[in-house]
Amino acid sequence: MAVLQKIRQRSLLLILVIGFCLFAFIIGDLFNKGGFSQTSKYVGSINGKDVAFEDFRVKVSNVEKSGQQGMTPTQAVNRVWDQEISIALLTDQFDKLGIRAGEKHIIEAFKNDQNIGKNPMFLNAAGVFDLAKFKEYFKSNPEQAQYVKDREKDAELNAKYQIYNTLVKAGMYTTETEGKLKYEMETSKVNFDYVAVLFSSIKDSDVKVTDAEITDYMKKNEKKYKAEETREVEYVLVEDKASAEDENEVKTSINALLNSSIVYNKTTNKNDTLPGFKSVTNNAEFVNSHSDLPYDSTYVAKKDLPAEHAEALFNLPQGEIYGPYMRGAYTCISKSLGRKAGANAKASHILISYEGTQVPNKKEKRTKEQAKAKAEMLLAQVKANPSSFLMLALTNSDDSSAQQGGDLGYFSQGQMVKPFNDFVFNNPIGSIGLVETDFGFHIINVTDKQDAVRLATIAQKIEPSEATNDKLYTKAVKFEMDANSQDFEKVAKASGLTVNPSVKVKAMDETFGALGAQRQLVRWAFEKETKVGNVKRFEIANVGNVIAKLKKVSEKGLMSVEEAKPSVEPILKNKKKAEKIKAKMTGTTLESIAKASGAAVQQAVGLTIENANIPNAGPERKVVGTAFALSINKLSAPIEGNSGIYVVKPTLIERAPALKNHSDYIAKVKSQVAGYSGRVIPALKVDADIEDNRAQFNY
C-alpha cells in the first residue's frame, strides 16, 4: 500500500517524464526521417539563382495532374527540374544579349497556344484569333485575369526563346568558302607511299599505365571526366516463386478435372455425377469454370502453338486430351476440337486506288475508270510473268505493304473485307485475280494456306501458396539479420542465394538495374544515415524481397580511376607506344625507315579528306591531310594517327577542278549543321554551376 501511495503522489511527475520522452521521440523522428531534415528551403540553384521548394512543388504537382500516361512521380520531378535548368540558362542568355519581348511577340505566342489561339471564344467569324475579343473577355471577367498573367509569363519566355533561337540559327550561315572547302575535301585526291607501325604491334602488357597517370590525365581534361555523386548497391533477391509442392498441387488439381466427379446436391439431397473434361460436351462453359484463362474459339496454326508441344497438340485426334504441360507460368491440359483445312491464308496484293477511296497515300490521282484500266493491265502482266509481282507491287501499289512487295502475311477468315476474303479463301494457292473493294482494285496472289486446330485449354496459374510465401519471407528476414552482422557474400552462399552484380545509381535515378523502377531503394542508398556496408530489406510487389547492401559511395567530382580506366588507359598506352615506335622510325627514306621499324612500304591510292580510309589501318584524316600539305616526293615527319605512327611520301596530288558554283556542297554543309541549334542548352549545362538538392526533399 505504501508503494501505491508513493506512485499516486508522483503520478504528475511520471506523466511529465513520459510525455517528454514521447515528445523527444517524435521530434527526433521528424529530424531523422525528413520532417525537418532539409538543410535548405531550395531544391537547388542554377548559376547562383535559387529554385524555391514551394514553387517547384507546385510545378511538379501541375505536371502530375496533366495526367500524361505512364509518367511516374520521379519522372515528373525530373521533367520540371530539367525545365528549371533550361529556363535559368536561357534567361541568362536573354539578359546578356538584351533580348526583350514586346506586346506583339507575346500576342504571337498567345496565338500559337492551343488553349488561347484556337479557343472558339477568341475567334472571329472567319475562325481567326481576334485580339479585341480576347481583351474584352478578360475585361468582362476580371476574376480570370490571373490566368492571363500566368500565361503571359510563359508567352514572354517563349517569345524570347524564338528570338534567341532565330539568332542562333542565323549565326549558322554557310558561306561559299565552306561549300568550296567541302567540294575540295570530297574531290581532291592523293596517292602516297607510306610506312605504318600500328599500336597493336606492341603488346599492351609491355606498356604500363599507373593510376596516378590516369588521374593526372583526367585533371587535364576535367570537363570530359566529370562525375556526379553515385552509390553502388549490390543485392540478393528472394523471389516470390512457387515451390515444387505448389506445382504438384496445381497438377493434381488439373488432373482431377479430367474424369467425372460426384457432388452432393443440397436441393435434391442426392449425389450428382458431373462430367469431367474428357466427356463434357459444353467445352467452353467447362473451360471458363475451371481455367484462369478464358476459352478461345479461334483456330490456331501450328507455328502459333507452344514450340515444345506444337507437334503433339497439332496432331492430337479430335476429342483426345494432351497434358498436363507447362506454358509459361501455367499448367495446362488441352482437348482437340478438330482441325480445319486452310483456316489461315497468306496473300500478296497490288492496290490501285482512285479519287474517293479511303487510302491516304495514293501514288497518283486517278478516276475509277483509270484505276480499273491500270489494274487490268497489271493483272495481265502478273499472269504472264508471276515472278514480276513483287517489283510491280513495290512500284505501283497504293498500300503500305508495297515496301514488302505487297506481302500481307497470314490472316484468318473474316479479317479482310469480304470480296478480298472470299477470293483468297475460295481459291487454291497460286491463284491470281482481280477484285474490287471500298479501297480500290486489288490484284491478288494467294501464296500459301495453313491448316489450323481448335483447342479447349484449361490453364491454371502456378502461384506460391501461403505456406511458401511464409517460408520465403522468413528466409528473407533471416538473411537480412545475418547479413547485417556477417559477410554478405558468405551469408548468401550459405543460404543458397546469388549476390547480383552491383548497380550504380545517381541521386534522382528511379530505375534500379534489372528490377526496374525502385525509387525507394535508390532513396535509401542516398540517405545520410545509410553508410557503406549497411543492409536493408525491401518488399517489392510481384517480385519478392530484395536485400540490398550499400557497397560504395562516390562523391561528386572526377570519375573514379576504375570507371575511367577503360577509356583513358588505351589513350595513355597508345601515347607511350607512340614514343617507342617513333624512336624506331629513323632514316632518310621510306625504305630505310621500314627496315629500321620492321615494317613494309605500302601504297595508298585515290584518298580524299572525306574518304581517308588507309588500307589495313582505317580512317586517318590527319595522315591524309598531311599528305595533301606536302610537296610531291617530300618525306613527312612521323605522324601520330588513330591506330599507329605513319611516315608518308606523296606521289600524286590531284586538286579538284575549279567550280563556278558550289551550291550543292553548300546545301550539304547546311544539312549537317541544321540541328546544331539543339546543342545550345547541353553546351550551356557543361559550363553551368548547378546544385541539385532534390534528394533532401524525399523526391
Side-chain angles (χ1 to χ4, degrees), residues 304-366:
D304 297 321
L305 294 169
E308 192 178 344
H309 308 282
E311 190 69 33
L313 288 169
F314 191 73
N315 294 307
L316 190 65
Q318 187 169 347
E320 292 295 309
I321 303 283
Y322 177 78
Y325 64 95
M326 293 298 300
R327 186 171 187 174
Y330 294 87
T331 296
C332 306
I333 49 173
S334 294
K335 181 198 284 190
S336 173
L337 302 182
R339 183 189 292 203
K340 186 176 182 181
N344 296 323
K346 187 180 183 185
S348 297
H349 80 145
I350 303 170
L351 173 62
I352 306 299
S353 61
Y354 49 84
E355 289 300 304
T357 56
Q358 298 300 310
V359 177
N361 299 311
K362 301 179 178 69
K363 282 193 166 62
E364 59 182 87
K365 289 185 177 181
R366 56 177 83 90

Side-chain angles (χ1 to χ4, degrees), residues 265-457:
N265 189 325
K266 290 182 180 179
T267 306
T268 62
N269 293 323
K270 292 180 180 180
N271 289 331
D272 291 340
T273 301
L274 301 180
F277 193 39
K278 288 180 179 178
S279 58
V280 72
T281 54
N282 192 334
N283 291 287
E285 184 181 347
F286 193 89
V287 168
N288 289 331
S289 297
H290 299 95
S291 177
D292 292 330
L293 297 177
Y295 173 74
D296 183 1
S297 63
T298 59
Y299 281 88
V300 183
K302 186 177 180 180
K303 67 179 183 63
D304 297 321
L305 294 169
E308 192 178 344
H309 308 282
E311 190 69 33
L313 288 169
F314 191 73
N315 294 307
L316 190 65
Q318 187 169 347
E320 292 295 309
I321 303 283
Y322 177 78
Y325 64 95
M326 293 298 300
R327 186 171 187 174
Y330 294 87
T331 296
C332 306
I333 49 173
S334 294
K335 181 198 284 190
S336 173
L337 302 182
R339 183 189 292 203
K340 186 176 182 181
N344 296 323
K346 187 180 183 185
S348 297
H349 80 145
I350 303 170
L351 173 62
I352 306 299
S353 61
Y354 49 84
E355 289 300 304
T357 56
Q358 298 300 310
V359 177
N361 299 311
K362 301 179 178 69
K363 282 193 166 62
E364 59 182 87
K365 289 185 177 181
R366 56 177 83 90
T367 65
K368 183 175 181 178
E369 291 72 21
Q370 289 171 330
K372 185 177 181 182
K374 181 167 185 176
E376 288 173 343
M377 179 192 71
L378 291 170
L379 176 65
Q381 286 182 261
V382 170
K383 283 192 170 182
N385 181 15
S387 63
S388 66
F389 195 100
L390 186 147
M391 188 54 66
L392 289 172
L394 193 66
T395 54
N396 292 280
S397 184
D398 289 327
D399 183 62
S400 58
S401 68
Q403 296 173 1
Q404 289 79 45
D407 186 7
L408 296 169
Y410 286 96
F411 49 90
S412 58
Q413 280 269 16
Q415 279 187 258
M416 299 295 181
V417 289
K418 194 173 187 309
F420 194 104
N421 180 87
D422 291 349
F423 179 87
V424 172
F425 284 98
N426 293 336
N427 287 285
I429 296 170
S431 297
I432 296 173
L434 178 66
V435 301
E436 182 184 357
T437 73
D438 292 339
F439 298 98
F441 294 95
H442 306 257
I443 299 97
I444 303 172
N445 182 13
V446 182
T447 54
D448 193 19
K449 290 194 176 182
Q450 292 178 330
D451 290 355
V453 292
R454 186 161 63 181
L455 301 170
T457 299

Side-chain angles (χ1 to χ4, degrees), residues 205-216:
S205 57
D206 293 341
V207 182
K208 303 297 180 187
V209 173
T210 65
D211 289 354
E213 287 173 318
I214 291 173
T215 301
D216 186 53

